Amino acid sequence: MDVLTDNWSVYGEGFLGTVELTVYSSLLALVLGFLMASFRVAPVRALRAFGTVWVTVLRNTPLTLLFFAVLLGLPRFGLVLPFQVFAVLALGCYTSAFICEALRSGINTVPAGQGEAARSLGMTFGQTLGSIVLPQAFRSVIPPVGSTLIALAKNSAIAGAFSVTELLGTYRTLNELGYSIIWTFIWIALGYLIITLTISLLFHGLERRRGVAR
């Protein structure tokens, strides 16, 4: 218990850092995931190709390699931002590929006749997608989207290796101070458990209210 009580500020800073990374990266992933899912079902071939390339490249690229590309590669092109912003970009873009596929699978569950009926009424692709298809698709993709964001929270631990303040990185400071590495990691694991359970409960409540009855 002394590991936690004697270093409350260290754990607190790391915990808040992980929460911030998770929240901002999740928002970016949801926006990009929605956009790429729209591209992948769009009637324009160029948009479908762009969405396919985005998903294929990011889903098959190790997240650590993506961190290296973003945090060390972008500054070489003159884009200099705080490391936390780079970490959000890496996490958000990577996770957006999985959000995209979850949304696309939900879109595919909506009967094609509904989209055809909407188009016959003169609705545009954007109107059909936003007003008819996505509201129905969203109900079926709540669980996989929630699981993806839980994975994002755990993946944020990689950011600590790139000078970004987050929960797992606190072990280095505490190890240098001579605290037990076992108890250090136990409290770190508890912090991640709090974050992931919060996300799980949030999406469980959302599923109960808006999800498809099974």
Side-chain angles (χ1 to χ4, degrees), residues 111-132:
Q114 296 196 24
E116 295 172 357
R119 287 191 295 272
S120 69
L121 293 174
M123 297 178 69
T124 64
F125 170 75
Q127 291 173 330
T128 302
L129 190 66
S131 300
I132 306 297

Side-chain angles (χ1 to χ4, degrees), residues 75-107:
R76 292 178 177 271
F77 294 95
L79 184 59
V80 179
L81 297 170
F83 272 19
Q84 186 177 28
V85 177
F86 281 136
V88 169
L89 288 175
L91 280 169
C93 290
Y94 177 80
T95 308
S96 70
F98 298 90
I99 296 290
C100 169
E101 289 302 275
L103 290 174
R104 190 169 72 94
S105 67
I107 290 172

Side-chain angles (χ1 to χ4, degrees), residues 139-193:
R139 299 175 61 196
S140 65
V141 302
I142 294 175
V145 168
S147 297
T148 302
L149 296 185
I150 288 174
L152 182 153
K154 293 183 287 186
N155 287 338
S156 67
I158 297 177
F162 297 90
S163 303
V164 177
T165 301
E166 51 80 41
L167 187 56
L168 182 61
T170 60
Y171 88 91
R172 288 191 294 269
T173 301
L174 299 180
N175 188 43
E176 292 173 356
L177 294 175
Y179 287 97
S180 169
I181 195 67
I182 296 176
W183 281 104
T184 298
F185 278 113
I186 286 176
W187 290 116
I188 288 174
L190 182 61
Y192 279 106
L193 185 63

Side-chain angles (χ1 to χ4, degrees), residues 14-160:
F15 182 82
L16 290 177
T18 295
V19 170
E20 289 181 357
L21 278 176
T22 301
V23 171
Y24 294 141
S25 300
S26 296
L27 292 174
L28 179 61
L30 289 170
V31 171
L32 289 177
F34 164 77
L35 185 62
M36 291 303 140
S38 301
F39 282 3
R40 296 211 65 186
V41 298
V44 181
R45 181 178 299 179
L47 293 180
R48 292 200 304 272
F50 183 85
T52 300
V53 171
W54 179 277
V55 170
T56 301
V57 170
L58 290 176
R59 288 186 71 186
N60 293 284
T61 300
L63 181 55
T64 304
L65 179 59
L66 187 60
F67 264 89
F68 274 111
V70 172
L71 275 80
L72 303 181
L74 291 181
R76 292 178 177 271
F77 294 95
L79 184 59
V80 179
L81 297 170
F83 272 19
Q84 186 177 28
V85 177
F86 281 136
V88 169
L89 288 175
L91 280 169
C93 290
Y94 177 80
T95 308
S96 70
F98 298 90
I99 296 290
C100 169
E101 289 302 275
L103 290 174
R104 190 169 72 94
S105 67
I107 290 172
N108 290 335
T109 64
V110 180
Q114 296 196 24
E116 295 172 357
R119 287 191 295 272
S120 69
L121 293 174
M123 297 178 69
T124 64
F125 170 75
Q127 291 173 330
T128 302
L129 190 66
S131 300
I132 306 297
V133 178
L134 281 179
Q136 298 181 71
F138 175 74
R139 299 175 61 196
S140 65
V141 302
I142 294 175
V145 168
S147 297
T148 302
L149 296 185
I150 288 174
L152 182 153
K154 293 183 287 186
N155 287 338
S156 67
I158 297 177

